[in-house]
Amino acid sequence: MSKAPLAPYPALRPRRLRQADWIRRLVRETTLQPSDLIWSLVVHDGAQARIPVASMPDVDRLSVAEAAKAAVQARALGIPAIAVFPYIDGEKKDARGSMASDPDGLIARAVKAMKNAAPEVGIMCDVALDPFTDHGHDGLLENGRILNDPTIERLVEQGLMQARAGADILAPSDMMDGRVGALRAALEGAGLQDVMIMAYAAKYASAFYGPYREAIGSAKALHGDKRSYQMDPANTDEALREVALDIAEGADMVMVKPGMPYLDIVRRVVEAFSMPTFAYQVSGEYAMLMAAGRNGWLDEERAILEALTAFKRAGCAGVITYFAPRAAKLLGA
Ligand code: PBG
């Protein structure tokens, strides 16, 4: 902010700069582009090309073949990266989340198919056990408690598998203490030093993840809640400590999640660390906008672009969003 004294009205009439589109464009402080978007999508293991997700209109679970087409579409739209999440059949889940590190599993096949179809598109994988555990938690559960360090061993197995399958970015979303450092060391040890880490650094225990848990099929499985590892929505200094730790442990980029209700956290993180900072516009944010739009309660397209622009204005380098392909098209890609 300039410290120059403001001329008083009528010398300064701020509306002068708003009188026509050309001048509004000229003085605009923030721009939203397809290159700001990471496309969040869900894959499933069946033959059916697309399976709708009831609570997320226009979001489908994609078959592996369809995910490859999505990667080609992302490239055409100028979307730099895709974040991929798996829907796992109930009978393939167990307490340890064994399938999470399966080198022939759904995620490995989806990553390979997408990298084959469009190698120019970055692929990001979630490192967490929840899609794969029969209790729906991100970590290992013993007598109702989530075990931190044994979970990290599983996350490292999962992350190495993802990196070997061709993932460009590992995104640990589990909120265990110390997992970023363990993943970074394991990648270095395996000769995978170029694989990036985007840490879900400040991830809150949020009601806004509801539709995602339906999309990946963990809603029914989840026992209890995630408050012993995800952050208390009332906290902000704690977010800075979490981000500081993840950066010190080797995160290349950090993330705040959910998005729109947490833009104050984004701003603080950007100001404190000057690291590439992303926000996740989560499933519940998507569902809210779509529900209101579908009811005619707000202008859906304008609301989508306004919400995404707000992330940029808050200081985000980019946004992980289910709206990515639609927003890219709205932006004229
Ligand atoms: C789980 C994970 C979640 C999301 C991404 N990874 C949900 C959770 O923590 O329960 C949420 C995504 C969304 O709501 O769109 N590790």
Side-chain angles (χ1 to χ4, degrees):
M1 266 288 278
S2 142
K3 296 218 172 64
L6 293 178
Y9 167 87
L12 184 61
R13 291 178 182 265
R15 289 185 55 204
R16 281 189 207 114
L17 297 181
R18 299 182 204 136
Q19 61 185 290
D21 184 58
W22 67 265
I23 185 65
R24 289 192 294 267
R25 282 192 288 131
L26 204 54
V27 300
R28 187 160 292 151
E29 297 173 37
T30 309
T31 52
L32 179 69
Q33 296 173 314
S35 59
D36 297 318
L37 308 173
I38 298 178
W39 180 0
S40 187
L41 60 77
V42 180
V43 292
H44 75 97
D45 220 345
Q48 204 176 326
R50 294 173 165 268
I51 303 174
V53 178
S55 53
M56 300 180 74
D58 289 351
V59 167
D60 299 326
R61 296 180 197 129
L62 308 181
S63 67
V64 169
E66 206 64 16
K69 287 188 208 158
V72 173
Q73 196 191 353
R75 178 174 62 193
L77 290 170
I79 296 169
I82 289 176
V84 58
F85 298 88
Y87 173 92
I88 303 295
D89 294 327
E91 68 269 20
K92 291 192 176 157
K93 298 184 185 188
D94 59 23
R96 294 184 67 246
S98 302
M99 295 299 282
S101 47
D102 181 359
D104 303 311
L106 173 60
I107 281 293
R109 280 180 284 118
V111 169
K112 285 177 193 160
M114 288 190 284
K115 286 309 289 187
N116 247 330
E120 304 84 353
V121 175
I123 301 295
M124 173 159 126
C125 287
D126 221 52
V127 184
L129 301 180
D130 58 312
F132 307 93
T133 52
D134 55 13
H135 46 70
H137 280 289
D138 296 28
L140 301 175
L141 188 65
E142 193 179 83
N143 302 325
R145 294 174 72 86
I146 299 295
L147 305 176
N148 196 88
D149 299 4
T151 296
I152 289 180
E153 288 176 31
R154 289 289 298 128
L155 298 172
V156 164
E157 290 167 4
Q158 179 183 28
L160 285 177
M161 178 283 287
Q162 293 166 339
R164 288 185 180 122
D168 302 289
I169 305 176
L170 303 188
S173 71
D174 55 288
M175 291 299 278
M176 295 302 118
D177 296 330
R179 89 281 205 217
V180 170
L183 281 168
R184 178 48 76 212
L187 289 169
E188 285 291 326
L192 295 162
Q193 66 280 350
D194 292 334
V195 173
M196 292 162 252
I197 296 179
M198 182 189 292
Y200 283 74
K203 176 171 177 178
Y204 288 86
S206 174
F208 292 98
Y209 308 149
Y212 165 91
R213 292 180 191 164
E214 183 210 334
I216 67 150
S218 72
K220 281 195 215 89
L222 184 60
H223 297 226
D225 60 52
K226 302 191 176 184
R227 284 178 218 189
S228 79
Y229 45 108
Q230 299 179 348
M231 283 177 53
D232 182 341
N235 294 354
T236 162
D237 288 339
E238 185 187 10
L240 297 193
R241 296 195 291 275
E242 282 283 8
V243 171
L245 281 170
D246 286 357
I247 294 170
E249 290 176 29
D252 304 286
M253 300 169 270
V254 294
M255 192 207 297
V256 173
K257 180 185 174 194
M260 204 152 76
Y262 294 83
L263 292 183
D264 59 320
I265 309 296
V266 168
R267 191 74 202 174
R268 282 194 80 188
V269 168
V270 168
E271 281 174 0
F273 300 101
S274 303
M275 288 286 282
T277 303
F278 292 77
Y280 198 141
Q281 184 187 48
V282 298
S283 56
E285 298 174 64
Y286 179 90
M288 285 196 300
L289 286 168
M290 290 300 282
R294 292 288 144 109
N295 273 295
W297 294 338
L298 48 70
D299 180 331
E300 202 172 287
E301 294 186 349
R302 281 189 58 198
I304 291 168
L305 293 181
E306 183 177 332
L308 292 172
T309 301
F311 288 103
K312 292 296 303 291
R313 192 196 60 234
C316 283
V319 190
I320 297 116
T321 173
Y322 301 92
F323 285 121
R326 184 163 175 205
K329 285 180 206 152
L330 289 173
L331 293 167

